[in-house]
mmCIF file of all heavy atoms in Angstrom:
data_model
loop_
_atom_site.group_PDB
_atom_site.id
_atom_site.type_symbol
_atom_site.label_atom_id
_atom_site.label_comp_id
_atom_site.label_asym_id
_atom_site.label_seq_id
_atom_site.Cartn_x
_atom_site.Cartn_y
_atom_site.Cartn_z
ATOM 1 N N LEU A 216 -0.935 7.313 4.070
ATOM 2 C CA LEU A 216 0.346 7.956 3.967
ATOM 3 C C LEU A 216 0.821 8.509 5.274
ATOM 4 O O LEU A 216 1.990 8.343 5.721
ATOM 5 C CB LEU A 216 0.221 9.170 2.939
ATOM 6 C CG LEU A 216 1.450 10.112 2.796
ATOM 7 C CD1 LEU A 216 2.681 9.340 2.394
ATOM 8 C CD2 LEU A 216 1.079 11.239 1.915
ATOM 9 N N GLY A 218 0.026 7.467 8.265
ATOM 10 C CA GLY A 218 0.401 6.377 9.101
ATOM 11 C C GLY A 218 1.766 5.811 8.841
ATOM 12 O O GLY A 218 2.446 5.314 9.738
ATOM 13 N N ILE A 249 -6.153 14.540 -0.774
ATOM 14 C CA ILE A 249 -4.934 13.951 -0.205
ATOM 15 C C ILE A 249 -3.983 15.066 0.194
ATOM 16 O O ILE A 249 -3.395 15.038 1.310
ATOM 17 C CB ILE A 249 -4.216 13.050 -1.307
ATOM 18 C CG1 ILE A 249 -5.111 11.876 -1.764
ATOM 19 C CG2 ILE A 249 -2.871 12.524 -0.774
ATOM 20 C CD1 ILE A 249 -4.606 11.142 -2.912
ATOM 21 N N PRO A 289 13.539 15.488 -17.009
ATOM 22 C CA PRO A 289 13.733 14.034 -17.407
ATOM 23 C C PRO A 289 14.501 13.232 -16.419
ATOM 24 O O PRO A 289 14.292 12.001 -16.294
ATOM 25 C CB PRO A 289 14.465 14.179 -18.769
ATOM 26 C CG PRO A 289 13.954 15.518 -19.301
ATOM 27 C CD PRO A 289 13.780 16.421 -18.103
ATOM 28 N N HIS A 313 -4.637 10.718 16.933
ATOM 29 C CA HIS A 313 -3.766 11.374 15.900
ATOM 30 C C HIS A 313 -4.035 10.750 14.556
ATOM 31 O O HIS A 313 -4.360 9.506 14.481
ATOM 32 C CB HIS A 313 -2.307 11.156 16.279
ATOM 33 C CG HIS A 313 -1.369 12.082 15.439
ATOM 34 N ND1 HIS A 313 -0.984 11.823 14.202
ATOM 35 C CD2 HIS A 313 -0.829 13.255 15.783
ATOM 36 C CE1 HIS A 313 -0.226 12.780 13.755
ATOM 37 N NE2 HIS A 313 -0.094 13.768 14.690
ATOM 38 N N THR A 348 -12.695 7.867 30.858
ATOM 39 C CA THR A 348 -12.340 6.906 29.802
ATOM 40 C C THR A 348 -13.202 7.246 28.588
ATOM 41 O O THR A 348 -14.299 7.821 28.749
ATOM 42 C CB THR A 348 -12.656 5.454 30.193
ATOM 43 O OG1 THR A 348 -14.027 5.336 30.494
ATOM 44 C CG2 THR A 348 -11.793 5.125 31.445
ATOM 45 N N PRO A 524 -6.861 54.569 2.198
ATOM 46 C CA PRO A 524 -6.158 54.894 3.471
ATOM 47 C C PRO A 524 -7.051 55.652 4.451
ATOM 48 O O PRO A 524 -6.831 55.619 5.690
ATOM 49 C CB PRO A 524 -4.946 55.728 3.061
ATOM 50 C CG PRO A 524 -4.716 55.412 1.582
ATOM 51 C CD PRO A 524 -6.067 55.023 1.066
ATOM 52 N N ILE A 614 12.961 40.926 44.252
ATOM 53 C CA ILE A 614 13.059 39.742 45.084
ATOM 54 C C ILE A 614 11.852 39.622 45.995
ATOM 55 O O ILE A 614 11.423 38.483 46.226
ATOM 56 C CB ILE A 614 14.412 39.820 45.881
ATOM 57 C CG1 ILE A 614 15.602 39.587 44.859
ATOM 58 C CG2 ILE A 614 14.445 38.693 46.975
ATOM 59 C CD1 ILE A 614 16.910 39.651 45.530
ATOM 60 N N LEU A 646 9.685 29.707 31.876
ATOM 61 C CA LEU A 646 9.847 28.887 30.639
ATOM 62 C C LEU A 646 9.025 27.663 30.730
ATOM 63 O O LEU A 646 8.529 27.303 31.789
ATOM 64 C CB LEU A 646 11.339 28.620 30.455
ATOM 65 C CG LEU A 646 12.092 27.638 31.443
ATOM 66 C CD1 LEU A 646 11.787 26.187 31.163
ATOM 67 C CD2 LEU A 646 13.572 27.855 31.457
ATOM 68 N N LEU A 668 2.470 36.053 29.165
ATOM 69 C CA LEU A 668 2.547 35.681 30.575
ATOM 70 C C LEU A 668 3.921 35.799 31.197
ATOM 71 O O LEU A 668 4.241 35.286 32.291
ATOM 72 C CB LEU A 668 2.015 34.263 30.803
ATOM 73 C CG LEU A 668 0.478 34.114 30.640
ATOM 74 C CD1 LEU A 668 0.143 32.638 30.514
ATOM 75 C CD2 LEU A 668 -0.336 34.804 31.689
#
Side-chain angles (χ1 to χ4, degrees):
L216 173 61
I249 299 170
H313 197 277
T348 62
I614 291 178
L646 67 82
L668 291 168

